[in-house]
Amino acid sequence: MTSHRVLTRRNAGWMALAVAAVLVVTALIVAWIAQPGESRQTAATPAPVQTATVEPVRTPTATPTPTGPAADTTVYDLSGLPEVTVFAVIPELPVDDDPLGDVVGVAARSVEERAPVFAEPGGEPVAALPRDYVYDGTVVPVIEQYDAWVRVMLVGRQAYPSSGDPAQLTGWMRTQDVELTAQDAVVEVSLGDRTVDIVRGDRRESVATDFGYGVEATPTPVGRSFVMTVRTEPSFAYTRGNPLIYLSVQSPTLDGFGGADVAITAFHYHDARSGAVSNGCLRIDAAGAEALAALPLGTPVVITG
C-alpha cells in the first residue's frame, strides 16, 4: 500500500512539470509571433511585374497602283488636227475590234472646246473631239476605262466602204480631258428575233416586236454603236413627222446616200416596216420612235443578227 502511494505522487510531480513546460513553450511561441521581424513574414509580397508596353504595328495605307496605260499630261496643239464629226474620214483611228463586246455604262464628253483623240495611249493625238457640234456626236460611250485613259466609240469613219473598212470608229481619250457621266440604258436590237428593247439593269422595255431592216445589198450594220443625234425632218415625208434617231455607225456598203457623202443608220418611222425592206435603217412605229428619241445622246445600241 505504501509503495503505490509514493509512485502516484512522483507521477503527479512529473505531470505538473510537463504541463508547466508546455505552458512556457506556448508563451514563448506567442511572444515570438507577436514580435515583428523579417525572419517570420508569413508571405512575401510579390514584386510588381514590369509589363512591356507593346505599340501596335501601324500598316501604312497602300497607294492604289494605277491601272491601264500610263498618264500623259502633255499639252498638245490641236489646231491642225481633223475634228471627229459625222462627216469625218480619219484613217488613223481604229475601228471597233470587238463589235459585240460590252459597254462600261459611262459616257464621255470633252471638258474644253476640243479634246485630243489618240489611236492608242502613248502616241500623238490624231484627231480632236469637239464639245459641241451641230449634228451632235460629241457625247460618246466608253468601252474601256482605266485611271488615266478611256476608249470610246466615235462618229465618222476610218474609210468609205469602197476603199476600206467603214465599221464603227473608236479612239482613246485622256480622262483629264473629259467629263464622265453614268449611263443607265442600252438599246438591244435582234435582227433574227425582230425585237427592239431598251434595257435598264434587270428591266427590259419592249419597243418593237417587228421592224424593217436592210436588204442584202444594203444591210443593217451589226455590232455596237450609239445614239448620235435626234432630229425631226419634215421634208422626209415617210417619217410622218416622227423623230429620226441617228446612230454613230454608217452603211457597210454605201459611201453616201441621198446626195450626201454620209450613209447614216437610223431608227425612224415608216409605213412599210417589216422584214428586209430598207437601205440599212431600222423602220419602227411612232410609239417606238418616241421611246427611242427620249434616250440621252450617247446611249449605246447593240445590234445582233
Side-chain angles (χ1 to χ4, degrees), residues 11 59 64 70 108 133-134 157 163 230 245 259 261 287 304:
N11 288 341
T59 304
Y133 184 63
V134 64
R157 292 183 281 190
S163 59
V230 176
I245 300 89
D261 58 358
T304 56

Side-chain angles (χ1 to χ4, degrees), residues 79-175:
S79 59
L81 297 177
E83 281 198 331
V84 178
T85 71
V86 64
F87 299 101
V89 178
I90 307 175
E92 294 82 5
L93 286 175
V95 298
D96 191 354
D97 58 359
D98 187 15
L100 294 179
D102 294 331
V103 292
V104 173
V106 173
R109 186 185 183 196
S110 174
V111 174
E112 303 294 339
E113 183 179 351
R114 303 169 85 225
V117 180
F118 302 76
E120 60 183 5
E124 296 285 321
V126 297
L129 180 68
R131 177 173 173 82
D132 298 295
Y133 184 63
V134 64
Y135 295 112
D136 297 316
T138 60
V139 178
V140 294
V142 174
I143 54 177
E144 289 184 58
Q145 184 175 12
Y146 302 101
D147 289 345
W149 295 86
V150 289
R151 188 183 181 196
V152 298
M153 289 188 278
L154 300 166
V155 297
R157 292 183 281 190
Q158 184 191 74
Y160 292 110
S162 60
S163 59
D165 189 346
Q168 173 63 55
L169 201 62
T170 69
W172 289 88
M173 302 185 73
R174 303 180 299 186
T175 55

